[in-house]
Amino acid sequence: NAGVTQTPKFRVLKTGQSMTLLCAQDMNHEYMYWYRQDPGMGLRLIHYSVGEGTTAKGEVPDGYNVSRLKKQNFLLGLESAAPSQTSVYFCASRLTGGEQYFGPGTRLTVT
Amino acid sequence: AQSVTQLGSHVSVSEGALVLLRCNYSSSVPPYLFWYVQYPNQGLQLLLKYTTGATLVKGINGFEAEFKKSETSFHLTKPSAHMSDAAEYFCAVSASGGYQKVTFGTGTKLQVIP
């Protein structure tokens, strides 16, 4: 039981490049979330999903897109990376009303 | 709507002293409340949670928190700090029922002085 995994762990992008972050969970959780963490700002919700095939915007969705084609996977895409997207990205999953289980994070630098 | 306020972005305590990290929340419906801990370069892990029932909840590593509805607070305490408690702590709230967004506070970094 691996819990929540994220790939890649580190990435450096140039401004304007695109990439996809993959989150996978093996706990059969319905709900999945993408957060970004920046110093002094806590975790801010980018997008979330309440089930396979559904997604919704969080607090800071601009510049990101997501897809949940399979229940166990939640993908976060950056179509045209900007330096403001330099951050640590965390994926989480949860059952209804329960606590969230977090992945180890992806550290992204955009130059 | 829901929100979380953590008072004090940095807290320093001596080893063996009481740890008190403050969290106040707002929620338009009965809340679920959580405390998470994050060690450097790691993800968040659950310390404890309140959903329903007993308002004093005990978590891992000797931490506990008390849900006080009248004060809209969920402060985290530990009687005696240990060096290994040095980390960043996040309070979070979600609404009970079907609304599944989770809102986090901005975090409190705990420093333990030997």
Side-chain angles (χ1 to χ4, degrees), chain A residues 4-63:
Chain A
V4 179
T5 58
Q6 292 182 233
T7 52
K9 288 186 169 48
F10 302 93
R11 186 73 186 267
V12 178
L13 287 179
K14 294 186 189 305
T15 297
Q17 287 184 320
S18 64
M19 77 165 294
T20 300
L21 284 67
L22 170 63
C23 175
Q25 53 97 2
D26 61 3
M27 297 172 284
N28 203 34
H29 288 170
E30 288 293 332
Y31 303 98
M32 296 187 75
Y33 306 78
W34 275 108
Y35 293 93
R36 59 177 291 172
Q37 184 178 28
D38 303 290
M41 303 190 77
L43 274 75
R44 292 183 292 168
L45 182 63
I46 305 171
H47 287 280
Y48 64 104
S49 169
V50 300
E52 182 178 320
T54 71
T55 62
K57 293 180 179 180
E59 305 168 55
V60 290
D62 294 343

Side-chain angles (χ1 to χ4, degrees), chain A residues 16 26 35 49 61 70 74 78 80 85 89 95 100 105-106 109 111:
Chain A
D26 61 3
Y35 293 93
S49 169
K70 292 183 179 180
F74 195 29
L78 286 72
S80 180
Q85 294 177 304
Y89 292 85
L95 290 170
Q100 289 174 304
T106 295
T109 301
T111 62

